[in-house]
Amino acid sequence: MIQVENEMDASVLEEILEQVHHHTGIQMTERKKNLLQGRLRSRLSALKLETYRAYLDLLKWNAAEVQEFVNLVTTNETQFFRTPRIWSYFTDQFLPEWTAAHPKQTLKIWSAAASTGEEAYSISMICAEWKVSHPDFNYKIVGTDISSDVLETGKIGFYQGKSAIDLKNKDSKRLEAYFSAVENGYQVKPEIKAPVSFSLLNLYRIPSHFSGFDIVFLRNVLIYFSAADQEKVLANVRRAMKPNASLILGESESLSRLKTQFKYHMPLIYKL
Ligand SMILES: C[S@@+](CC[C@H](N)C(=O)[O-])C[C@H]1O[C@@H](n2cnc3c(N)ncnc32)[C@H](O)[C@@H]1O
């Protein structure tokens, strides 16, 4: 049996922090040593590697391992209908205004750090309800993330445990309406799933064809980046947005100290 070393030394930790930044843009400090050790240890074990140095060496030449590394070092906490005030904005202001200004067009929505898909499906449920009273309304939702693991959950659309219990407590009517109860969990119904697609995307490298979004949910991801990197990501995201598009941030995020082209609209909401 392979015994993984207990602790990584300071120079290895520094290089791992550099690798985290290089591959994800996430800025971690030495204080994350225990978290990183905890997350990487089982991977070392699975690869039969005894030292964190050996793992670093592997990362340098094994591109497939880089994706595993990214999956392990990202934090993917999310919920359905997280932060009530942004959902009120989307339902009561954004959708009525957008629909009035863009008859018969297709609303393009981007969940830009989609994690396991709860945000993208929350959007889809609200759009489905809006379509009932506005049959000409059409929409597409794209969920992207840098972690391939979480995207798999989103693509399947099966939720159990904390995520499903949270939705049941918050909004049991929508859980019943839009999910089928299956063994040990809930499967999102086809009408909610169909408008949503998921793909792997690093916010630092957004391809130029990825564009034309009317509204972007960029939530609870900027907090992981330095101020300079947040500005880079925001400039990339802006290029993917239409003029006058809306940007929605996470509950503890703000653009007030950053140099960007976004204009403040209301707390957590910005406009181009
Ligand atoms: C805390 S979750 C937020 C999920 C959801 N937006 C929400 O607010 O509930 C942050 C997500 O950002 C993703 N992420 C981190 N760095 C990224 C990057 N450079 N490009 C794209 N996604 C990234 C992580 O993989 C993670 O799933």
Side-chain angles (χ1 to χ4, degrees), residues 46-110:
L47 294 166
K48 301 197 173 12
L49 296 174
E50 287 181 12
T51 67
Y52 291 95
R53 165 67 61 198
Y55 185 68
L56 264 177
D57 291 341
L58 177 72
L59 266 188
K60 283 178 195 145
W61 60 265
N62 188 329
E65 190 55 36
V66 169
Q67 185 62 61
E68 295 293 336
F69 177 69
V70 167
N71 292 351
L72 286 169
V73 300
T74 49
T75 297
N76 315 111
E77 184 74 28
T78 189
Q79 291 163 18
F80 288 101
F81 299 106
R82 185 174 184 178
T83 321
R85 75 156 70 168
I86 66 116
W87 300 104
S88 310
Y89 164 76
F90 183 58
T91 310
D92 302 332
Q93 281 195 39
F94 180 86
L95 283 177
E97 283 171 17
W98 189 89
T99 311
H102 304 84
K104 304 217 160 120
Q105 289 185 31
T106 298
L107 173 65
K108 272 188 79 182
I109 307 164
W110 180 17

Side-chain angles (χ1 to χ4, degrees), residues 153-261:
T153 303
K155 283 177 194 167
I156 295 166
F158 171 76
Y159 296 94
Q160 58 186 162
K162 212 169 120 196
S163 185
I165 292 166
D166 175 64
L167 180 58
K168 194 174 194 171
N169 292 336
K170 265 185 196 155
D171 200 338
S172 60
K173 280 198 181 127
R174 280 187 172 135
L175 181 70
E176 275 164 35
Y178 302 125
F179 292 79
S180 311
V182 291
E183 209 185 319
N184 299 325
Y186 296 87
Q187 175 63 46
V188 70
K189 287 189 176 169
E191 66 265 31
I192 300 303
K193 201 161 179 252
V196 185
S197 63
F198 289 98
S199 55
L200 197 64
L201 184 137
N202 182 346
L203 291 166
Y204 290 84
R205 292 182 209 118
I206 301 174
S208 55
H209 68 264
F210 198 84
S211 61
F213 290 96
D214 298 283
I215 182 163
V216 179
F217 291 71
L218 182 70
R219 309 200 59 236
N220 301 299
V221 64
L222 289 177
I223 37 166
Y224 297 101
F225 306 148
S226 69
D229 285 344
Q230 290 182 24
E231 287 176 1
K232 282 185 203 158
V233 163
L234 287 158
N236 292 344
V237 168
R238 181 185 63 79
R239 279 192 283 276
M241 295 169 72
K242 279 189 189 154
N244 303 318
S246 295
L247 178 75
I248 308 207
L249 301 184
E251 49 267 18
S252 58
E253 294 165 328
S254 156
L255 304 185
S256 63
R257 286 157 197 258
L258 301 175
K259 282 197 207 85
T260 77
Q261 305 216 341

Side-chain angles (χ1 to χ4, degrees), residues 13-26:
L13 173 61
E14 202 175 307
E15 281 185 53
I16 290 185
L17 295 174
E18 273 168 30
Q19 288 295 306
V20 171
H21 185 256
H22 178 70
H23 292 296
T24 67
I26 295 172

